[in-house]
Amino acid sequence: MNAWTMLLATDAPALPSGWVMQMGLQLSWSVVLAWLGALLVRRWTVNKPVQAGVALTLAAWAWLPGAYSASYWLGLAFQTPSVTAVLVCAALLRDQWVRPSQRLLHGAPAGLAWALAVLGTILGWALLLDTLALLPLQWYAWGFSPAASVLVMLVALLPWVWFRVAPGGAVVPWLVPVAVVVFVTLRLPSGNVWDAVLDPWLWLVMQGGLLRRLYICYKLRSLKRNKSAV
Amino acid sequence: MLLPHIFSSLYGRLLCAVLASGVILGLDLWRREASPPPAHAVWPVLAGAQKTAPLQLLDSGNIPMPSGMAAAHASTLLALPLSHPAALMAFWFSGDRESAPNVQIAASQWDRASQQWSAASYVVNRQVFGSQMGFGLRRLGNPVAWLDGSGRVHLFVVATGWGGWAASRILHLRQISSANSVQELVFEPVRVLPLSWLWNTSILVRNAPLPLDDGGMVLPVHFELGIKYPIALRFDKEGTFQGVVRMSARPYLLQPTLLMQSTQEWLALMRDDRPNGKVGVARTVDGGLHWADLPDLALDNPDAAVAGFNLAPGRMLLVHNSSIATRATLDLSQSMDGRNWPLVRTLEQGAGEDEFSYPAMAWADGELWVSYTVDRHRIAWQRFALGTAPAGVTP
């Protein structure tokens, strides 16, 4: 077998072990729930201990045994969120409490977040169309190959290469590279790199963000046109 | 002092990115096994005069059902080695009704000494395995059984997420008990097979795997969220997942059953979801790496499962519902070339709303076994022996 064949091979996937999958499921939903709780409660109170209490309670809920656990029901419906989604939630939680002056996108080069959102949206569409067998390529199956992990890592590092993001600056450029490192180390969540970097919920959020930005751009352009007409 | 200098240069950062990707590649390859050799299916054991001998019905009956359960469906048969006290095991799902919360996977075995089916036992409970894996299984459905290279039974079971059958996943279970009887059969969850990006949903299993000469197998499954298409999964002799290949570009074929024409040339015969459908066909000539659609067979298919079985080289069997609109007729046909399927015998002939469906076949102790669902209430079986072929007659 030559090196190229080995790189593209999808017939020797390395899958996570059972206990790693279970830990990954509970930890992932724990982080996501904590962020969702913190996000919701922030609308009702500025009391930090209350916010933290709600977030911690929801995080702990994911670790209860069996059907008492939130992750039991969320896993039933959605399996395990992507590593990227978990890292995004963790970064948002950090922004809220540890570095409240900063935000996820603070310090990121202009347009970087949107470039990532466009890439993620395209990738999600490719995976969805592949799921429905509407592509000639078997895109999801290719996510079991070593080449897919390397390609994702290379593409994910391009923003750092191009924009020279300073250490300690924006978190966004590092989310996908860290997700790939977690993936190759633990194979979470499923042994397929696409599941590690993008899940359908994250994809929907990205699309929502893109559509919102497009709408704002359209409105601003309309305003400018109206002003110049006056 | 060197790092900041490297990081300040575009080419330096590019070099770092390539090196980091190289490290990722190294880590990734370190975690993997080598790619498996090309897949070669195992020829059936029959040879010589047996290849042409006619099938003669020996006996038939019903497999005992779990007490008090009104529904039974989707049986699968597993032939057992001669060292086992039972010749074969049957697994199916049973409960108050199809898709009821209390549906479990039931099992029974044909005891070699008593020539009887054992009382049915439940071997898979969704709450138990949901708790073990940390996430829920809403309902259980079709089971498919396989014996690995170490003699352990593996079960692949349809388990739904949030929704109906279209929200199904395939739960892979592996025997951990050393006991021989179904009453003592204990499984552990291996995983839910990772087959789709869309919350890993809408992949179902129905038909038996095709055994490979390396001790592994190819498991036919299908996708059915809106459109339908068949998929082949490969496993090694320990039951380790080794990849997935889509088998057809047609969006209405499901529940493939695999038949071999040579060690690397296989056919997949499939249920057709369309009205007035025919049995669909796809073929591979490279051991499942690539598949191509073939024209439909002449056999009608009332959107019903079919089961194929290789009895001998050049002698394939197919159990199928042969009427266009109902599942009231269940036929056994055979073929030498995979295209022409003359009728061997009608296994069941009902009327109106009668249903004989979801057939399965196995070869055990020199006999052909067929099981199927009757009216979604019970599992029936028939057993055939090979008779003496009349002189000059080919099947």
Side-chain angles (χ1 to χ4, degrees):
Chain A
M1 177 183 283
N2 62 39
W4 191 245
T5 312
M6 189 173 70
L7 265 179
L8 294 174
T10 59
D11 55 5
L15 305 186
S17 64
W19 75 268
V20 168
M21 278 191 294
Q22 190 167 351
M23 288 297 112
L25 174 89
Q26 292 182 305
L27 179 64
S28 299
W29 284 118
S30 175
V31 173
V32 172
L33 283 173
W35 168 70
L36 278 173
L39 182 74
L40 288 175
V41 81
R42 202 174 57 181
R43 293 171 182 270
W44 297 316
T45 177
V46 290
N47 188 324
K48 291 278 179 186
V50 172
Q51 290 179 8
V54 169
L56 285 173
T57 304
L58 285 172
W61 186 22
W63 292 94
L64 293 179
Y68 297 108
S69 165
S71 57
Y72 181 90
W73 299 103
L74 289 164
L76 180 150
F78 309 117
Q79 298 279 273
T80 306
S82 64
V83 179
T84 311
V86 175
L87 292 173
V88 167
C89 292
L92 289 169
L93 272 174
R94 184 202 69 154
D95 288 350
Q96 190 167 337
W97 285 312
V98 184
R99 299 169 65 182
S101 61
Q102 302 220 351
R103 287 290 174 265
L104 187 67
L105 300 175
H106 181 84
L112 172 61
W114 303 113
L116 288 174
V118 168
L119 276 178
T121 300
I122 293 170
L123 175 62
W125 273 108
L127 289 164
L128 179 66
L129 293 175
D130 176 46
T131 301
L132 299 172
L134 297 174
L135 289 182
L137 294 170
Q138 296 183 54
W139 195 248
Y140 182 77
W142 196 58
F144 289 116
S145 71
S149 306
V150 175
L151 180 74
V152 171
M153 189 63 173
L154 260 178
V155 171
L157 285 173
L158 283 182
W160 173 73
V161 171
W162 191 254
F163 294 108
R164 195 193 172 189
V165 181
V171 171
V172 163
W174 303 108
L175 291 174
V176 180
V178 171
V180 176
V181 170
V182 172
F183 170 73
V184 295
T185 310
L186 298 172
R187 313 308 294 184
L188 285 172
S190 68
N192 188 301
V193 73
W194 306 130
D195 289 327
V197 296
L198 187 68
D199 60 63
W201 281 122
L202 183 59
W203 175 63
L204 288 170
V205 168
M206 281 178 167
Q207 287 195 95
L210 271 182
L211 289 173
R212 186 165 167 268
R213 182 178 169 89
L214 285 174
Y215 177 73
I216 290 170
C217 286
Y218 167 77
K219 292 299 268 185
L220 285 175
R221 200 168 287 179
S222 299
L223 275 174
K224 274 184 189 168
R225 219 173 347 198
N226 290 342
K227 271 187 182 172
S228 59
V230 169
Chain B
M1 295 304 287
L2 185 62
L3 275 181
H5 180 67
I6 291 174
F7 289 164
S8 66
S9 141
L10 176 69
Y11 292 113
R13 291 194 298 275
L14 188 60
L15 178 66
C16 289
V18 171
L19 286 175
S21 302
V23 171
I24 289 296
L25 176 63
L27 276 171
D28 193 288
L29 291 174
W30 174 62
R31 295 292 307 270
R32 290 173 191 270
E33 301 287 328
S35 281
H40 291 267
V42 180
W43 279 114
V45 291
L46 288 187
Q50 284 184 307
K51 285 167 60 175
T52 56
L55 288 165
Q56 295 175 337
L57 180 64
L58 286 180
D59 53 3
S60 60
N62 296 312
I63 299 176
M65 293 293 112
S67 62
M69 291 302 159
H73 193 33
S75 62
T76 184
L77 296 175
L78 179 68
L80 298 169
L82 287 170
S83 57
H84 199 285
L88 78 166
M89 285 180 181
F91 299 86
W92 67 96
F93 71 79
S94 179
D96 284 340
R97 57 179 166 76
E98 184 173 328
S99 201
N102 69 346
V103 162
Q104 299 180 63
I105 303 302
S108 176
Q109 65 186 21
W110 178 264
D111 187 64
R112 284 192 165 104
S114 66
Q115 293 288 290
Q116 297 280 331
W117 287 100
S118 67
S121 298
Y122 284 122
V123 293
V124 181
N125 176 292
R126 67 185 177 88
Q127 282 98 346
V128 169
F129 286 103
S131 290
Q132 287 182 19
M133 289 190 299
F135 61 88
L137 308 169
R138 187 172 168 274
R139 298 288 184 267
L140 294 182
N142 310 341
V144 168
W146 173 66
L147 210 57
D148 73 12
S150 306
R152 295 173 299 187
V153 178
H154 290 242
L155 271 185
F156 299 88
V157 181
V158 169
T160 67
W162 227 340
W165 293 128
S168 294
R169 303 180 179 114
I170 299 176
L171 172 62
H172 179 188
L173 306 169
R174 181 172 53 208
Q175 179 188 351
I176 51 171
S177 59
S178 55
N180 282 326
S181 70
V182 289
Q183 283 79 13
E184 298 162 296
L185 207 52
V186 180
F187 291 94
E188 64 174 355
V190 179
R191 69 184 71 255
V192 168
L193 297 176
L195 301 175
S196 147
W197 173 75
L198 194 64
W199 296 304
N200 197 14
T201 200
S202 214
I203 310 279
L204 294 88
V205 65
R206 165 55 203 143
N207 278 313
L210 183 71
L212 301 179
D213 67 357
D214 63 2
M217 56 91 167
V218 174
L219 182 68
V221 304
H222 69 275
F223 177 88
E224 68 165 55
L225 183 63
I227 63 167
K228 277 84 175 163
Y229 62 85
I231 304 165
L233 313 179
R234 187 171 175 187
F235 292 81
D236 72 8
K237 65 180 179 182
E238 298 300 322
T240 305
F241 175 67
Q242 291 187 306
V244 48
V245 177
R246 199 183 301 149
M247 296 163 73
S248 171
R250 289 182 286 180
Y252 48 80
L253 296 177
L254 64 155
Q255 296 180 340
T257 183
L258 298 179
L259 292 163
M260 62 183 292
Q261 293 188 298
S262 74
T263 58
Q264 287 214 293
E265 183 178 347
W266 313 335
L267 295 175
L269 305 188
M270 290 164 281
R271 169 179 174 175
D272 189 334
D273 181 47
R274 298 171 301 173
N276 303 315
K278 303 283 186 184
V279 173
V281 193
R283 183 178 65 166
T284 176
V285 293
D286 56 9
L289 292 178
H290 305 89
W291 291 82
D293 287 313
L294 294 183
D296 292 341
L297 298 182
L299 300 173
D300 288 329
N301 183 258
D303 192 9
V306 299
F309 190 78
N310 276 97
L311 197 57
R315 189 176 185 188
M316 293 172 270
L317 300 174
L318 186 71
V319 179
H320 57 109
N321 294 107
S322 56
S323 60
I324 192 63
T326 77
R327 296 177 177 181
T329 305
L330 191 66
D331 283 347
L332 173 63
S333 302
Q334 71 177 1
S335 176
M336 288 192 298
D337 59 6
R339 288 229 58 85
N340 301 295
W341 290 87
L343 179 70
V344 174
R345 63 183 296 137
T346 294
L347 300 178
E348 292 280 4
Q349 179 67 64
E353 296 297 306
D354 291 343
E355 178 179 328
F356 308 100
S357 62
Y358 275 57
M361 280 188 277
W363 182 260
D365 292 357
E367 292 161 350
L368 177 74
W369 292 77
V370 183
S371 69
Y372 48 92
T373 301
V374 179
D375 297 332
R376 309 268 173 133
H377 292 313
R378 57 190 168 88
I379 304 297
W381 59 273
Q382 297 189 18
R383 184 161 59 132
F384 298 87
L386 289 168
T388 307
V393 173
T394 54

